[in-house]
Amino acid sequence: MSAPATDKTDLFRTLHRGRPHGDPLVLPGPWDAASARVFAEAGFPALATPSAGVAACLGYEDGATPADEMFAAVARIARAVDVPVSADVEGGYGLAPKELVERLLEAGAVGCNLEDSGPGGVLRDMRRHADYLAEVRAAAADRLFVNARVDTFVHGDGDPERAIERAAAYVAAGADCVYPILAPADVLPLLRSGIAGPLNMLARADGEGPSPAVLGELGATRVTFGPGLQRRSAAALREIAAALR
């Protein structure tokens, strides 16, 4: 029998706390129920869906998945496993904080990623986004773990100090974790020194770049892979398909 949702959220939050140096929480990104079961059966204690990977599974370009389909996909994934599942819900799909929280909880998610850039990769106003995160936190209370994505390295000027400034605003607004996506590994120690609380870093799924353990040594609390695992799986399937020809 699955654990109650509140128990799963508490477990997910606990997994981020007091981690030994160099031992980050590694969260694979399932794109459907079958991949979620594979990761759970492999022993991972929690999972984090990638919006781009789910979009590819559903036949959409990254960022083009309708909200209803994304929440339905998250629900299928959460139902398929007993471990906690956090959901990447991009920028929130224009939903009011209360509705966003309700839909995440209905889908069985214990947490969410919320990015601070909008259509066309334009960074949102930092203060307005912090206010939005604060409203999400108020609506969710302790029922969701909020991971605030910081997009300065992918859509901004890549200045670590700007990333730290945004991260501080989001933590003050109630974010449980911050995620400076595509931040270079060599700036991770600086980010770690300037950011309070858990820090999420992106690792490559193809073995290139720093391993999760190395990212942990540099200061990462948790490591995710974005759509990398789904894309690696698709590449393997293409090879199988070619061999069948």
Side-chain angles (χ1 to χ4, degrees):
M1 180 179 295
S2 297
T6 52
D7 290 349
K8 285 186 177 181
T9 305
D10 290 344
L11 171 59
F12 190 67
R13 187 168 281 112
T14 299
L15 288 169
H16 291 78
R17 293 175 178 162
R19 301 201 65 85
H21 188 68
D23 181 30
L25 175 61
V26 177
L27 298 175
W31 52 95
D32 59 13
S35 59
R37 288 194 180 111
V38 169
F39 295 136
E41 290 168 1
F44 289 97
L47 307 174
T49 69
S51 61
V54 173
C57 178
L58 297 176
Y60 293 102
E61 294 296 321
D62 184 20
T65 307
D68 287 349
E69 293 197 43
M70 183 62 75
F71 286 113
V74 171
R76 288 191 294 271
I77 290 168
R79 283 198 305 267
V81 295
D82 288 332
V83 299
V85 174
S86 182
D88 182 350
V89 289
E90 304 180 80
Y93 305 112
L95 299 174
K98 186 175 184 295
E99 183 179 358
L100 176 64
V101 168
E102 289 174 351
R103 298 201 66 174
L104 283 162
L105 294 173
E106 287 172 359
V110 302
C112 63
N113 273 14
L114 283 167
E115 56 199 49
D116 67 348
S117 60
V122 177
L123 286 174
R124 302 180 192 276
D125 178 83
M126 181 181 71
R127 296 300 171 193
R128 289 183 181 176
H129 190 63
D131 289 344
Y132 181 74
L133 291 173
E135 291 180 43
V136 170
R137 165 55 64 222
D142 291 330
R143 296 177 296 170
L144 289 174
F145 185 98
V146 179
N147 187 35
R149 206 178 89 173
V150 179
D151 285 3
T152 52
F153 294 98
V154 61
H155 294 309
D157 59 8
D159 183 347
E161 294 298 337
R162 291 185 187 275
I164 291 172
E165 180 185 21
R166 283 181 169 260
Y170 304 158
V171 170
D176 298 286
C177 184
V178 292
Y179 178 20
I181 189 170
L182 295 186
D186 60 2
V187 304
L188 180 49
L190 175 60
L191 296 175
R192 176 69 285 169
S193 68
I195 295 174
L199 179 60
N200 188 155
M201 286 290 285
L202 180 73
R204 292 184 58 166
D206 58 6
E208 298 293 328
S211 67
V214 169
L215 292 173
E217 290 287 348
L218 293 172
T221 309
R222 83 182 208 180
V223 173
T224 53
F225 301 90
L229 294 165
Q230 181 273 328
R231 290 173 180 171
R232 185 173 176 183
S233 177
L237 189 58
R238 280 192 290 271
E239 292 182 5
I240 294 171
L244 293 176
R245 299 272 299 177

